[in-house]
């Protein structure tokens, strides 16, 4: 098991304000899965042609997406934005 974790950036209150509980649960589930990937999380999602930097990953069958940043030196995946079309 790796030592990676995940967190909201800037904060959970800011990013999840007004979202349905099911969306928040799905975002947290995906963030946990991304953290479990460890360093490989820098290769997941868009853009497909390079690794690192701000990444995007679809949620709830294309009804939204999360933007996240994998930072190997912090061993952390930061959820930076949540877009949900409802």
């Amino acid at each position: 098991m790796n030592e990676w974790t995940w967190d909201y950036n800037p904060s959970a209150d800011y990013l999840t304000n007004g979202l349905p509980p099911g969306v928040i649960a799905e975002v947290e589930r995906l963030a946990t899965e991304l953290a479990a990937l460890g360093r490989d999380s820098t290769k997941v999602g868009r853009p497909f042609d390079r690794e690192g930097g701000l990444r995007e990953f679809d949620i709830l069958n294309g009804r939204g997406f999360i933007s996240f940043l994998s930072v190997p030196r912090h061993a952390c995946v930061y959820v930076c934005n949540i877009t949900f079309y409802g």
Side-chain angles (χ1 to χ4, degrees):
M1 180 122 197
N2 68 41
E3 301 292 323
W4 279 60
T5 61
W6 70 272
D7 198 3
Y8 289 105
N9 185 10
S11 71
D13 291 336
Y14 179 79
L15 292 175
T16 62
N17 187 27
L19 289 175
V23 174
I24 297 169
E26 177 67 3
V27 168
E28 292 179 354
R29 184 190 71 79
L30 287 172
T32 301
E33 295 292 327
L34 289 167
L37 288 173
R39 186 172 291 276
D40 288 336
S41 64
T42 61
K43 304 173 189 172
V44 174
R46 292 181 298 266
F48 300 114
D49 58 342
R50 67 187 184 320
E51 61 182 75
L54 192 63
R55 317 288 298 170
E56 290 181 349
F57 196 79
D58 289 341
I59 59 172
L60 300 169
N61 295 322
R63 293 175 49 203
F65 63 91
I66 61 171
S67 298
F68 65 94
L69 188 62
S70 297
V71 183
R73 70 179 170 195
H74 294 173
C76 190
V77 173
Y78 295 101
V79 176
C80 301
N81 190 37
I82 304 167
T83 301
F84 178 63
Y85 303 119

